[in-house]
Amino acid sequence: MSNAQLIADAIDTLITLGWAALAWLAVLAAAVTVVLFAGTAVGAWAVSAVWRRTVGPSWARGRLRARILARTRVRRSSRRTAAQDYREAA
């Protein structure tokens, strides 16, 4: 084999390896894209589930949690109230 033939074979091998590397790059890019989209979808689902769990009436979160929230959020009136006078409307 002559030097020209060896150089041609080397160039042909480099071109073949280049195409193979490009194919692997495309496959890996597609796989990474699928993984990122799946991760984003799972993350959005988790955030929405947590959000749905935290909003809503306190009684929907369980009896103990509702009692705790009721004690911390409802305050008694500090004003004195006079006895109510219930008169019949004329």
Side-chain angles (χ1 to χ4, degrees), residues 35-77:
V35 168
L36 284 177
F37 280 154
T40 302
V42 168
W45 173 78
V47 167
S48 68
V50 167
W51 183 260
R52 269 188 259 120
R53 181 91 173 136
T54 58
V55 295
S58 61
W59 53 263
R61 298 182 201 141
R63 290 180 68 176
L64 178 63
R65 186 77 180 142
R67 291 171 98 183
I68 292 170
L69 288 172
R71 286 183 185 158
T72 58
R73 291 185 181 179
V74 177
R75 295 187 184 128
R76 291 185 182 149
S77 174

Side-chain angles (χ1 to χ4, degrees), residues 19-40:
W19 281 111
L22 188 64
W24 272 108
L25 182 66
V27 168
L28 288 176
V32 167
T33 301
V34 168
V35 168
L36 284 177
F37 280 154
T40 302

Side-chain angles (χ1 to χ4, degrees), residues 7-30:
I7 291 174
D9 283 344
I11 291 173
D12 186 45
T13 303
L14 282 176
I15 291 172
T16 303
L17 288 175
W19 281 111
L22 188 64
W24 272 108
L25 182 66
V27 168
L28 288 176

